[in-house]
Amino acid sequence: MNARHDNPVPGAQDGLGQPAPRPRTRRVVFVCCDALGHEWIDAHLTPVMYALAHDGLWCANHRAVFPSVTRVSAACVATGCLPYRHGLHGNQMGLIEGGKLRVYDVGQPDFRTHLRRATGTTLRMPTLAERVAGHGGFIAMSNVSPGAAYFLDPEHFGHVYHRAGSYAPGGQPIVGTAALQIGQDFGGDWAMTRRFCTEVLTWRRPSIAVLWLAHPDATLHAAPLGSAAHREALRHADRCVAEVLRTVRRLRTQGDDILLLAGSDHGQETIAGSIDIDAWLCAQGLAQQIEAGEIAVAAQGTAALLYATETGRPKLHEVLDRLRGEPWVDALETGVALRARGMAAQDGIVAAINLAQVAGENTYGVRGKRWTAAEPGKTKVPGHGEHGGWGTDETRPFLIVDHASVTPMTVEQRTSLVDIAPTMLDFLGLPHGGLDGRSLLMPHRAQPAGAGADSRG
Ligand SMILES: [Zn+2]
């Protein structure tokens, strides 16, 4: 019996025609459990991922990028490059249009149009989708914000499925039952996972397949860390990863050579209170500059980016030391320090601020209470989860690399989201030089040898 013909699924025809057997080739699968911090991987809440971490390469010092937000993370995973190189600054970012700054929500489906108009392009570095366009293709299914889904492949070299709209190569819309008609709840994540396993992994078999779950992130933006809701979201993510793992293991027994990466993009911390940075700047006498689009703030949850035009820059610089001294500011960085964060004083960016920690734990005994930047139209509820800055736990996602050729071990040296793309390209035998990340396969293939890596045997 051949399931390819017995069980046609939505999307099986889009852009690919009738599914047909393909020669066995190497391919890569990445599952991202949005906002699942590495400290939450344990034997009880996430037993499948816990076991997988022991079977594969466990990156014990895996780090988020700055800002630790999903849209930037998606662009870093897609390009293997840091924000100052790929050009996407945050979940919100300032663009200079007609000499004036305007802050846009990157999550909106039409943001790419604004970015293209202001800068002439979207991402400045090639994506995985572009790199494998002639080498087996790229398919992503994502249940996070539209912006975070589309920045995996903003120029449509591959297929991206999202509930706000799905696209085939060239930007051709995928419509009807072939689109991804799901909610952003557990049921939506689960339906997407099942379809991903059957249609993408078993039938269509692209070189790179990405599954990006909405939870636990979507849960934590409306619930405390450590709460029953959070724990249920962790079990849910583990169930989804288990389904992918089951599929990958079955396909491997049938001869497929699949590298499996399971990870997340950032963690979360707890909202202690929120600060309106625009209002603070106005109170310092900069209302006129903000009104004129000479100075702007792009809030990033527990962090913010400060922008200025050439005209606004001197006025903004006058207040930076005062801002740095506010009790709700942990650190304010410019110049070389900003560059070390993976950001740069370019495209209007002047400074980044990380909001301060507040003493104490949340109701469930979880550390990491933080100030957060107020955003128009968004309610920041104290006690709920948040992320975006360079706090201890929001910057600690997890990553597991699983393949027969990878020695099970704990990697103590620092790894990053930007290592994911070069690892995938390395496995596929494609060029991966010139990226900010490095392949995690190189020191860990065959024999445990790399500096700072301890074999767990
Ligand atoms: Zn995220």
Side-chain angles (χ1 to χ4, degrees):
M1 188 173 99
N2 187 345
R4 288 162 195 250
H5 301 293
D6 292 346
N7 294 308
V9 290
Q13 263 82 50
D14 78 86
L16 288 176
Q18 191 66 24
R22 290 183 189 172
R24 304 283 181 218
T25 50
R26 295 196 135 203
R27 49 201 180 105
V28 185
V29 177
F30 174 46
V31 187
C32 184
C33 308
D34 204 295
L36 205 166
H38 91 302
E39 73 274 27
W40 296 97
I41 298 286
D42 71 29
H44 303 291
L45 291 168
T46 60
V48 172
M49 287 188 268
Y50 184 76
L52 187 63
H54 285 79
D55 291 345
L57 199 70
W58 168 249
C59 298
N61 271 307
H62 194 53
R63 299 303 166 104
V65 291
F66 175 75
S68 54
V69 295
T70 308
R71 296 155 207 171
V72 173
S73 301
C76 292
V77 166
T79 60
C81 292
L82 293 165
Y84 84 98
R85 286 183 74 200
H86 63 59
L88 190 73
H89 302 168
N91 267 359
Q92 298 190 82
M93 71 178 267
L95 293 175
I96 299 176
E97 296 176 329
K100 289 184 173 186
L101 278 162
R102 186 170 161 195
V103 175
Y104 284 95
D105 180 351
V106 176
Q108 295 304 312
D110 65 349
F111 171 72
R112 284 169 298 161
T113 309
H114 298 291
L115 182 59
R116 227 177 258 126
R117 198 160 54 213
T119 68
T121 185
T122 52
L123 294 180
R124 293 170 183 165
M125 297 302 291
T127 58
L128 288 167
E130 181 174 357
R131 290 170 183 272
V132 299
H135 303 275
F138 174 94
I139 302 177
M141 288 186 167
S142 171
N143 200 21
V144 293
S145 75
Y150 300 147
F151 271 98
L152 288 171
D153 178 20
E155 297 298 331
H156 301 299
F157 285 95
H159 290 77
V160 175
Y161 291 81
H162 187 271
R163 57 184 193 282
S166 302
Y167 298 93
Q172 186 190 345
I174 297 166
V175 295
T177 53
L180 191 62
Q181 296 163 331
I182 57 172
Q184 207 188 21
D185 52 5
F186 290 170
D189 268 1
W190 179 245
M192 177 177 74
T193 301
R194 294 286 301 270
R195 184 173 163 189
F196 180 80
C197 289
T198 308
E199 179 187 326
V200 179
L201 298 188
T202 308
W203 297 351
R204 295 172 64 179
R205 308 151 67 91
S207 285
I208 297 178
V210 175
L211 179 72
W212 202 301
L213 304 173
H215 297 272
D217 187 75
T219 296
L220 282 176
H221 280 295
L225 284 142
S227 63
H230 181 207
R231 293 198 305 273
E232 190 48 40
L234 293 167
R235 291 188 196 98
H236 154 78
D238 202 54
R239 274 195 295 274
C240 293
V241 171
E243 186 71 6
V244 173
L245 182 60
R246 232 186 332 266
T247 306
V248 165
R249 284 180 173 160
R250 176 174 54 76
L251 293 167
R252 282 172 177 165
T253 64
Q254 295 168 8
D256 286 13
D257 191 8
I258 301 173
L259 175 73
L260 175 65
L261 299 157
S264 59
D265 49 348
H266 51 76
Q268 289 219 12
E269 300 191 13
T270 299
I271 297 174
S274 62
I275 288 292
D276 186 337
I277 301 168
D278 275 294
W280 185 90
L281 290 169
C282 288
Q284 309 305 309
L286 300 182
Q288 192 191 323
Q289 284 75 18
I290 288 175
E291 183 64 28
E294 295 171 0
I295 292 175
V297 180
Q300 312 291 340
T302 51
L305 294 172
L306 305 182
Y307 290 80
T309 60
E310 288 306 316
T311 320
R313 195 177 297 258
K315 282 282 183 194
L316 180 59
H317 273 282
E318 282 176 20
V319 304
L320 290 186
D321 278 342
R322 221 174 303 152
L323 181 53
R324 195 179 266 123
E326 288 290 347
W328 40 270
V329 172
D330 164 56
L332 182 150
E333 292 181 345
T334 57
V336 176
L338 190 62
R339 172 61 191 77
R341 292 266 167 220
M343 197 59 80
Q346 61 190 24
D347 307 318
I349 295 176
V350 173
I353 58 176
N354 189 47
L355 295 177
Q357 199 165 27
V358 174
E361 299 172 334
N362 82 355
T363 327
Y364 298 90
V366 180
R367 68 175 185 184
K369 288 166 75 173
R370 298 284 298 286
W371 286 104
T372 182
E375 289 173 59
K378 269 194 183 178
T379 312
K380 306 281 182 126
V381 179
H384 288 178
E386 184 62 290
H387 55 98
W390 59 79
T392 306
D393 292 318
E394 63 189 343
T395 53
R396 300 294 302 274
F398 77 97
L399 183 66
I400 303 164
V401 182
D402 175 70
H403 186 264
S405 72
V406 174
T407 308
M409 64 170 71
T410 296
V411 179
E412 299 292 351
Q413 68 210 66
R414 188 179 280 223
T415 60
S416 159
L417 289 194
V418 294
D419 296 332
I420 291 171
T423 301
M424 291 178 172
L425 294 167
D426 183 20
F427 183 78
L428 296 172
L430 295 171
H432 54 93
L435 304 184
D436 292 325
R438 70 194 194 292
S439 170
L440 300 175
L441 299 179
M442 289 200 273
H444 307 117
R445 240 180 218 138
Q447 297 298 318
D454 303 319
S455 175
R456 286 197 305 255

